[in-house]
Amino acid sequence: MKEKVIFLQKKTDLNLHRIMCFVGGFMGAYAILIRSDNLGSAQTSNMIYIVLQLLGRDLPSVLIRLGGLFLYFAAIELTVLLEKRTNISLKKYALLTEGICLFILGFLPLTIDPVLGLYPIFFMMSTQWCVFHGTAGYNCSTIFSTNNFKQFSLALGNYVSEKDEAYQEKMLLFGNSLLFFHIGVAVSFFICRFFQVKASFLAIIPLAFALYLVFKEERLDEKFSELSAQTV
């Protein structure tokens, strides 16, 4: 019975990871398609633009981008604070936060500055990165692809060279993460084409499934604790 619960825990965690990869891909594409090719999942390009626009003396644009950087930073700090100072479920907090941000996004008109339109995405993707950052003991991003592709490629090369099943497991995990991320990208393409800025509302649907899995995880954890206590 205990082995079955462990199996279900791992399966639930993996499915939750897949859903969050899907959301990460969906929102990455949403930001690019709806906000003039700007990406809201990371800060690399935003910080580069801050320096370039500062040197170009475009102060209004610098201030807008600094606001986005601050939101990304604030989401990280808030997550750390909640983890250290409270007993709330970070996964529930993250999903609720993302749902609110998705709702706000649907009301931001296309006519506003594209970077301002990314503000909710900056906050929600930063939060997601802090909370949903891997599964099965691996750090595997649900909002980025580059490192996941690197890890997949390394695992593939090592597996071909050594035939070690541990590399096969890693290869399959990172490959699976890339697959669901880009399924999210593809779905976002069609949803954004039809619903434009309000496409964000439909991303709430996978978050609802993710919330269900979080509750399922909690029930499985309780069951595991009960079984563990019985065997002591």
Side-chain angles (χ1 to χ4, degrees), residues 41 60 93 174:
S41 301
Y93 157 74
F174 282 94

Side-chain angles (χ1 to χ4, degrees), residues 199-211:
S200 62
F201 293 156
L202 279 81
I204 296 175
I205 297 173
L207 289 184
F209 283 106
L211 184 60

Side-chain angles (χ1 to χ4, degrees), residues 89-103:
S89 167
L90 286 182
K91 290 182 178 179
K92 290 178 182 176
Y93 157 74
L95 293 173
L96 176 61
T97 297
E98 293 197 43
I100 293 172
C101 288
L102 289 170
F103 186 75

